[in-house]
Amino acid sequence: MRAAIKSGLLALAAATLPAIAHAHTGVGPAGGLAHGFMHPVGGLDHLLAMVAVGTFASTLGGRALWLVPASFVLMMAAGGTLGTEGIAVPFVETGIAASVIVLGLAVALRWSPSTAAAMGVVSLFAVFHGYAHGAEMPMDASGVQYAFGFMAATALLHLVGIGLGLALGRFGAKSHVATQLGGGAMALAGLGIMTGVL
């Protein structure tokens, strides 16, 4: 059973990799489900943050394994509504870049907050990500289908992060080093995004 789950997660990860080559927005079907699905996987900032949420949740374990990603998806939907309605949210791009830095550091430093605190942190960042998705929705897109698309893609990327975290966790002490290096790389990438280097 575990082997089947791991195989499925690895296949999912492989399936999402080609999407990295797409631009952040405006590539592929310009509307509805497909465009909404491509938005989170088409931008490095969103991609890294989503995987980091999953990896962070896997390091916390227990109920956090599903509560942390679920809270992100729900608050991202709320942020998406703000974006589609044109309600101003300040510092969106800064918040998105900061999410990659903070979540990467959380993984790298093996931060172990309470489940409620972890949910609060990811929920805050989720609003920024959701707002960006909503604000960049094509005018001719179906709002419901677009929202379902970006929420589904986000959940799948969370599963990729969870799968990576759980898979690495089977290697004992060596897994901690690999996970910490991965988190550190994410944080550095977030810094590059914030400064415009990436």
Side-chain angles (χ1 to χ4, degrees), residues 17-193:
L17 289 178
I20 299 171
H22 291 333
H24 192 73
T25 59
V27 175
L33 183 67
H35 193 92
F37 188 89
M38 292 307 297
H39 199 263
V41 298
L44 182 63
D45 47 4
H46 294 298
L47 182 73
L48 289 175
M50 301 310 104
V51 174
V53 168
T55 307
F56 180 41
S58 75
T59 63
L60 296 175
R63 294 191 312 152
L65 195 61
W66 65 272
L67 283 173
V68 169
S71 63
F72 188 100
V73 172
L74 289 174
M75 288 305 294
M76 186 183 65
T81 301
L82 295 175
T84 57
E85 294 300 316
I87 299 170
V89 172
F91 309 114
V92 171
E93 292 302 322
T94 301
I96 290 172
S99 73
V100 181
I101 297 169
V102 172
L103 294 169
L105 286 175
V107 172
L109 301 175
R110 298 187 56 78
W111 183 43
S112 297
S114 67
T115 298
M119 290 169 64
V121 169
V122 301
S123 292
L124 172 65
F125 291 131
V127 173
F128 295 119
H129 285 271
Y131 185 89
H133 295 323
E136 296 173 5
M137 182 180 78
M139 294 297 291
D140 61 347
S142 162
V144 173
Q145 290 183 3
Y146 181 83
F148 182 79
F150 74 68
M151 290 171 70
T154 296
L156 288 173
L157 288 171
H158 289 338
L159 284 175
V160 170
I162 290 170
L164 289 173
L166 293 178
L168 286 173
R170 299 195 62 182
F171 295 102
K174 290 182 181 179
S175 72
H176 298 326
V177 175
T179 304
Q180 288 177 304
L181 287 174
M186 287 181 182
L188 284 175
L191 187 60
I193 291 166

